[in-house]
Amino acid sequence: MVVGNVSRRSALGIFAGATSVLAFGSKLSAADAPLKVGIPIWVGWMPFWIMDEKKIGDKHKLNAVLTQFTVQTDARQALAAGSLDVCALNTADVLAIDAVSPVASVITLTNASAGADIVIARGLNKLADLKGKKVALEIGSVSHFFFSKVLEKAGLTEDDVNIINMSAQDAGSAFVAKAIDVSVTWEPFASQGIASGGTALITSKDTPNLIIDIISARNDVLKARKDDVKRLLDAWYDALSFVDTNKDEAFAIMAKHSDVKVDEFAGMWAGVKMYSRPENIELIGTAEKPGPYADAVKAMSSFMVKSKLIPHDVAPSSMIDGSLLT
């Protein structure tokens, strides 16, 4: 199994990703096709491994195979191609898929970044000081989206800075090496940069509910296997409940699958806001009365069109399906 915490939420790019497969429902009939679920590596999706180790899927008669991806773009492409039925992704990933063809829907929100995405800087005291600086970030990623909102707060535009395209890991490493004075990255790379003498100029805690991770499902799978997808969703929420009631054991499991120490994982977990089922019902709303998440989709869609990452806007109503939450 390839486990780490270096891959997360890139909206564009083609890479070769290693995978690992685990199966639930081994006692069920082999004639039942397992639900194929993709899980990129990210702190907010680690409860899937609690679901595995605590056999929560068995309780729900869940017949599923989890495939672990070290590169999120590969997971997105696998869902779009039909190699996966369900996948943990970011809002931007589903927009990238559905801008080509209406293939997938968001069925629940897993977490929002609440401090785990950070602009780290050296020698800067306020956002206005970003003007004229070289800034390392991954173009087309959620870091890029986050930074666009940071610039708005500062009354600046991308024309006021010089963006250097780097992955989140490379942006963090370049900062530590003092090759650049501003990087937009996420944990644990941000903390490494701060430890090398940087400061957190602004974090995603200052932009709540902006960067939202989700679980998505192919529309054809939702139509043909809705009960199976609901079993997965119910198991997910049971795994979240386990974290709440058994934090020490849960953190040990999730830290192991993140390849970090438990105290390090605890710090990473503190940087995300995990969404409960009731919070999802409120944020997603209904087809007749959409919740606030629809505005987050619109904002991300507009950014991606402006950045030429997708050819046209995608309507929130066409890619949100909260029917399995109730």
Side-chain angles (χ1 to χ4, degrees):
M1 178 184 300
V2 180
V3 178
N5 49 20
V6 297
S7 173
R8 177 211 180 212
R9 302 182 296 167
S10 172
L12 289 179
I14 300 174
F15 303 92
T19 63
S20 173
V21 177
L22 294 137
F24 290 130
S26 57
K27 296 179 181 178
L28 301 180
S29 169
D32 296 328
L35 203 65
K36 295 173 288 186
V37 184
I39 314 296
I41 300 167
W42 167 239
V43 56
W45 297 321
M46 287 297 108
F48 273 107
W49 305 117
I50 292 174
M51 191 190 302
D52 168 57
E53 293 206 14
K54 302 307 295 183
K55 302 189 183 304
I56 294 173
D58 290 349
K59 168 187 171 183
H60 293 278
K61 299 188 186 327
L62 174 63
N63 184 17
V65 173
L66 299 187
T67 302
Q68 180 170 284
F69 287 80
T70 58
V71 177
Q72 187 165 318
T73 305
D74 293 335
R76 186 193 78 210
Q77 292 171 343
L79 184 72
S83 300
L84 293 173
D85 300 318
V86 178
C87 192
L89 290 171
N90 178 265
T91 299
D93 292 302
V94 182
L95 284 166
I97 293 171
D98 284 8
V100 177
S101 179
V103 168
S105 291
V106 173
I107 60 172
T108 200
L109 316 181
T110 56
N111 66 275
S113 181
D117 289 87
I118 304 175
V119 178
I120 53 175
R122 185 182 292 106
L124 278 66
N125 298 313
K126 55 186 183 298
L127 294 181
D129 294 339
L130 289 167
K131 187 170 184 178
K133 300 297 183 182
K134 291 182 180 179
V135 181
L137 59 78
E138 184 174 359
I139 293 175
S141 71
V142 292
S143 291
H144 191 183
F145 178 53
F146 169 52
F147 189 63
S148 73
K149 298 303 179 183
V150 170
L151 289 174
E152 285 181 16
K153 280 180 173 286
L156 302 173
T157 71
E158 289 190 13
D159 291 337
D160 293 313
V161 297
N162 182 13
I163 292 178
I164 311 298
N165 189 21
M166 294 185 186
S167 70
Q169 183 175 14
D170 288 343
S173 297
F175 189 90
V176 171
K178 295 183 170 54
I180 199 157
D181 289 329
V182 184
S183 290
V184 188
T185 186
W186 54 69
E187 297 291 25
F189 313 120
S191 289
Q192 293 166 1
I194 291 170
S196 73
T199 59
L201 195 62
I202 188 171
T203 81
S204 53
K205 189 174 182 179
D206 301 302
T207 56
N209 297 321
L210 179 70
I211 303 172
I212 299 177
D213 292 326
I214 54 87
I215 297 175
S216 58
R218 287 183 57 89
N219 294 330
D220 54 353
V221 175
L222 281 173
K223 184 177 180 179
R225 305 186 61 183
K226 200 160 192 172
D227 288 345
D228 291 333
V229 179
K230 188 175 189 307
R231 289 188 183 97
L232 178 71
L233 211 55
D234 290 343
W236 166 262
Y237 282 113
D238 273 3
L240 288 187
S241 295
F242 185 89
V243 177
D244 289 337
T245 56
N246 302 271
K247 189 153 288 185
D248 289 345
E249 184 179 1
F251 275 19
I253 292 171
M254 295 190 290
K256 177 178 66 176
H257 286 281
S258 300
D259 197 26
V260 297
K261 296 178 181 178
V262 173
D263 59 343
E264 291 174 325
F265 184 84
M268 293 163 58
W269 185 262
V272 296
K273 156 65 179 172
M274 300 301 296
Y275 290 123
S276 66
R277 191 191 297 262
E279 287 171 323
N280 261 277
I281 291 171
E282 179 181 351
L283 288 166
I284 288 180
T286 64
E288 296 75 23
K289 190 177 180 181
Y293 177 59
D295 292 331
V297 172
K298 289 178 185 177
M300 179 64 82
S301 181
S302 296
F303 163 75
M304 294 178 73
V305 170
K306 182 180 178 181
S307 301
K308 296 182 171 54
L309 302 175
I310 57 175
H312 56 79
D313 279 311
V314 176
S317 59
S318 71
M319 59 169 272
I320 302 174
D321 184 348
S323 62
L324 298 181
L325 290 168
T326 56

